[in-house]
Amino acid sequence: MSTATTAGAKAHARAQESATPVTRPDPPEGVDPASVTWSEIVAGGGYAHAVLAPGTLLELTDLDGDACAGLLLYNALETHERLNVADTVKVQWQVYTAAGQILLSDQGRALATVVGDTSGRHDSFFGVSSRDRNERRYGDGSPQGPSPAGRELFKLAAAKHGLGPRDIPPALTFFQGVRIAADGTPEFLGSAGAGATLRLRADMPIVVLIANTAHPRDSREAYTCGRLGVVAWRPGSDVPTAEQGPEARRAYRNTSDYLRARGLS
């Protein structure tokens, strides 16, 4: 089909609707499809983004066993407030993501809470790959190339929300694990396998950026990253959080005070 004319370009563009059908992951068992607010499959080397309301549940699924979901969160009301990985692990005395962990902002507030995890293979140390690193490792790190870097994809996702490169902090990554040995040596654990899930609860209005790219510590020669399932929904009732320490209670109190002052709780 020629695109040399306006009519031809129009016909070609409209033909893509049937040529590339949209595929979405099924909602988790027991979730009313009508309550779903965001649903998509992010290809390896792809990115996604959305704004979620407080109380929304977000489930990420490693569909093939090779996903690596880099995650950044921002306060949707004031995007200068964003995920602080260092405070998230330092304040809670825990560097390994698990159910009950709060994802803290740089203002000491809870952006989101991990409320479920069947993977146990995550990383708070190494973040996502850079373009320079991927060019040296794979020969290319551009967002449109065969081995996109996580930071380059974050730049694209951030731009959709008026954010620039200087607004991209270190990220958490999920589904490719790293553990630190007693002597300080990092050990790359890889994936827990296809079907592993991580579930988050939004604790305030948040901008979510996801970059699904090969982990920086993945030793495989080829750039390897599988599909990521993303589903967000509004639950019918509050989702309880396991008993937590004083650091968590302070973060939730800070968040509640912030939302109440703005008439949001």
Side-chain angles (χ1 to χ4, degrees):
M1 183 182 299
S2 174
T3 58
T5 65
T6 302
K10 177 181 177 181
H12 177 269
R14 290 189 169 180
Q16 305 311 302
E17 182 177 22
S18 58
T20 55
V22 176
T23 57
R24 302 184 186 277
D26 293 329
E29 185 176 355
V31 172
D32 180 359
S35 69
V36 173
T37 59
W38 181 23
S39 177
E40 65 178 285
I41 293 176
V42 184
Y47 71 95
H49 58 94
V51 178
L52 301 181
T56 301
L57 294 179
L58 171 64
E59 185 166 281
L60 308 179
T61 303
D62 183 354
L63 295 175
D64 306 313
D66 272 319
C68 183
L71 180 78
L72 289 177
L73 303 176
Y74 300 77
N75 175 351
L77 304 177
E78 299 178 281
T79 52
H80 62 263
E81 180 179 6
R82 63 218 34 188
L83 176 66
N84 188 307
V85 174
D87 283 355
T88 291
V89 301
K90 176 179 63 178
V91 170
Q92 297 173 90
W93 310 98
Q94 178 57 272
V95 298
Y96 300 117
T97 296
Q101 183 185 48
I102 301 173
L103 306 188
L104 291 171
S105 78
D106 49 15
Q107 303 297 313
R109 291 188 276 260
L111 293 170
T113 301
V114 179
V115 296
D117 176 33
T118 67
S119 171
R121 302 288 182 92
H122 312 301
D123 174 32
S124 59
F125 299 103
F126 291 96
V128 297
S129 55
S130 67
R131 183 166 186 162
D132 178 68
R133 182 262 182 200
N134 277 20
E135 286 176 348
R136 287 186 282 107
R137 176 72 189 277
Y138 304 112
D140 187 21
S142 64
Q144 296 82 20
S147 50
R151 184 170 173 81
E152 296 305 305
L153 295 182
F154 273 143
K155 290 179 184 178
L156 297 180
K160 311 293 186 181
H161 299 274
L163 301 168
R166 293 181 63 183
D167 297 306
I168 300 173
L172 289 169
T173 58
F174 303 123
F175 303 121
Q176 298 291 333
V178 174
R179 290 272 165 170
I180 304 300
D183 64 358
T185 303
E187 178 188 4
F188 181 67
L189 302 179
S191 170
T197 62
L198 181 93
R199 185 175 292 187
L200 302 172
R201 180 192 64 215
D203 293 316
M204 65 164 61
I206 54 174
V207 176
V208 180
L209 307 185
I210 295 172
N212 184 29
T213 60
H215 191 280
R217 298 290 300 187
D218 193 329
S219 61
R220 288 174 288 188
E221 183 175 345
Y223 183 93
T224 304
C225 187
R227 299 172 303 150
L228 177 74
V230 179
V231 181
W233 70 97
R234 297 285 292 162
S237 58
D238 291 340
V239 177
T241 301
E243 179 63 27
Q244 295 164 305
E247 298 86 1
R249 291 192 292 270
R250 183 166 59 250
Y252 286 135
R253 186 166 58 249
N254 292 344
T255 305
S256 178
D257 290 346
Y258 175 87
L259 295 176
R260 188 180 302 111
R262 286 153 180 77
L264 298 176
S265 67

